[in-house]
Amino acid sequence: MMEKQRDDQMDNIRAILIFCVVTGHVISNFGETTGTDAVYKIIFSFHMPAFLFVSGYFARYNPKKLFASLFPLYVIFQIAQYLERWLILGITDGNWEMGGFDFFIPQWTLWYLVALMMFQ
């Protein structure tokens, strides 16, 4: 049985992109200067499109299988994040009203799953 070979170039690209994500988040939380703002904007202008490209590079193209595996994750996490936000707002602010749920507007980072489903 032949073992799959790792693509060292792609591993290095992913490592650089992960470093960019961490650096961008650190800058956004601790840096408020013009220079750090410029670095933040540069990093966030390319790192997520690059992640989508790398994800597409490694994806096996089977639209039905891909949609069948990603869509349930989207539904579960979309509902879970909405319920989490409702619970936190209810506990902290006393606001227990159920409102504002829109299935077609991804919560938090779920846009990435939507993008993967659309671009594959």
Side-chain angles (χ1 to χ4, degrees):
M1 181 184 258
M2 190 172 163
E3 230 178 272
K4 288 185 180 180
Q5 294 281 45
R6 299 243 354 151
D7 187 346
D8 293 336
Q9 262 186 321
M10 282 299 178
D11 287 341
N12 291 336
I13 290 171
R14 285 190 288 188
I16 290 168
L17 291 172
I18 290 169
F19 178 77
C20 287
V21 170
V22 172
T23 303
H25 284 283
V26 168
I27 288 172
S28 71
N29 289 323
F30 298 112
E32 291 292 328
T33 66
T34 305
T36 56
D37 188 48
V39 171
Y40 174 83
K41 288 178 180 176
I42 290 169
I43 288 173
F44 277 82
S45 69
F46 75 87
H47 84 282
M48 287 315 295
F51 265 121
L52 284 172
F53 173 78
V54 170
S55 297
Y57 178 81
F58 288 108
R60 289 177 174 54
Y61 187 69
N62 184 344
K64 290 180 184 178
K65 193 173 184 181
L66 184 73
F67 188 78
S69 65
L70 293 178
F71 188 71
L73 289 174
Y74 175 76
V75 171
I76 291 167
F77 285 110
Q78 181 79 337
I79 292 169
Q81 287 183 359
Y82 174 74
L83 291 174
E84 175 192 28
R85 188 181 62 198
W86 172 75
L87 185 63
I88 289 172
L89 287 176
I91 291 171
T92 58
D93 296 342
N95 183 6
W96 292 100
E97 294 178 16
M98 290 288 280
F101 180 75
D102 190 347
F103 183 76
F104 297 105
I105 298 177
Q107 298 289 321
W108 198 42
T109 59
L110 290 178
W111 67 267
Y112 188 71
L113 286 177
V114 172
L116 284 176
M117 285 186 281
M118 290 175 59
F119 294 140
Q120 296 296 326

